[in-house]
Amino acid sequence: YANGGAETVVAEAIAGQRDKVFLVSKVLPSNASFRGTIAACEHSLGRLKTDVIDLYLLHWRSSTPVAETVRAFRQLQADGKIRHWGVSNFDVDDMEDVVDVDAACAVNQVQYNLNDRGIEFDLLPWQQKRSMPLMAYCPLGGGDLVNHPAIVPVARKHGVTPPAIALAFLLSRPGVQA
């Protein structure tokens, strides 16, 4: 994320077309306190050259109580600086803590792809049961699935690319976004 450099690049990429994108950013665990979350969001808004972030995520669980971070998210929503909030890289126990504080968590973003399917045992069913979307990151396995020997023949059979097969797998799962 280059200490905010990625947000600067995103701002350049979406200049003049903010209304056409759904903008997601994250607060680092080291900034997860109430004041830290508010300040981090303000910095992100400045780098992104926008007045609102569509989805603001807590990047990892931190030593800060999740209730304090959620309180900051709610304040940012009330102030019109974020539309939705969620988390990233949370397991079932972490998610239980989140919904105990506030069930309005919009999403949990985790690594999920054809090579990394461990969440199918517990986290994915937990979220599906609660109709809480799961956002898959690294849907192409960091590039490993682009020419994977098990996917290439399936892609050929269907007249599509291997990445299309990898994405179709994820999108066929209820509640999963890629």
Side-chain angles (χ1 to χ4, degrees), residues 28-151:
L28 291 170
S30 57
N31 295 324
S33 68
F34 181 83
R35 285 185 177 185
T37 299
I38 302 291
C41 184
E42 293 285 351
H43 288 111
S44 289
L45 289 166
R47 286 187 295 266
L48 289 164
K49 297 182 181 175
T50 189
D51 58 346
V52 65
I53 295 170
D54 296 304
L55 176 62
Y56 200 47
L57 305 173
L58 174 57
H59 196 168
W60 296 95
R61 183 86 188 245
S62 78
S63 59
T64 301
V66 72
E68 184 173 343
T69 308
V70 169
R71 188 168 56 93
F73 286 156
R74 287 305 205 172
Q75 184 63 55
L76 289 165
Q77 280 181 309
D79 294 343
K81 296 185 179 182
I82 66 171
R83 291 194 173 97
H84 308 280
W85 63 271
V87 295
S88 182
N89 301 302
F90 276 40
D91 62 21
V92 172
D93 289 342
D94 295 327
M95 292 308 298
E96 291 281 358
D97 291 345
V98 169
V99 298
D100 283 350
V101 171
D102 190 332
C105 180
V107 70
N108 183 14
Q109 181 193 55
V110 297
Q111 185 165 331
Y112 183 40
N113 58 59
L114 281 166
N115 276 339
D116 297 297
R117 297 177 62 184
I119 66 161
E120 291 176 356
F121 295 102
D122 54 2
L123 182 62
L124 182 56
W126 186 94
Q127 288 193 220
Q128 288 169 328
K129 181 179 178 184
R130 289 157 181 79
S131 299
M132 181 184 292
L134 185 137
M135 182 188 299
Y137 72 77
C138 292
L140 301 178
D144 296 341
L145 299 174
V146 172
N147 291 304
H148 194 283
I151 299 175

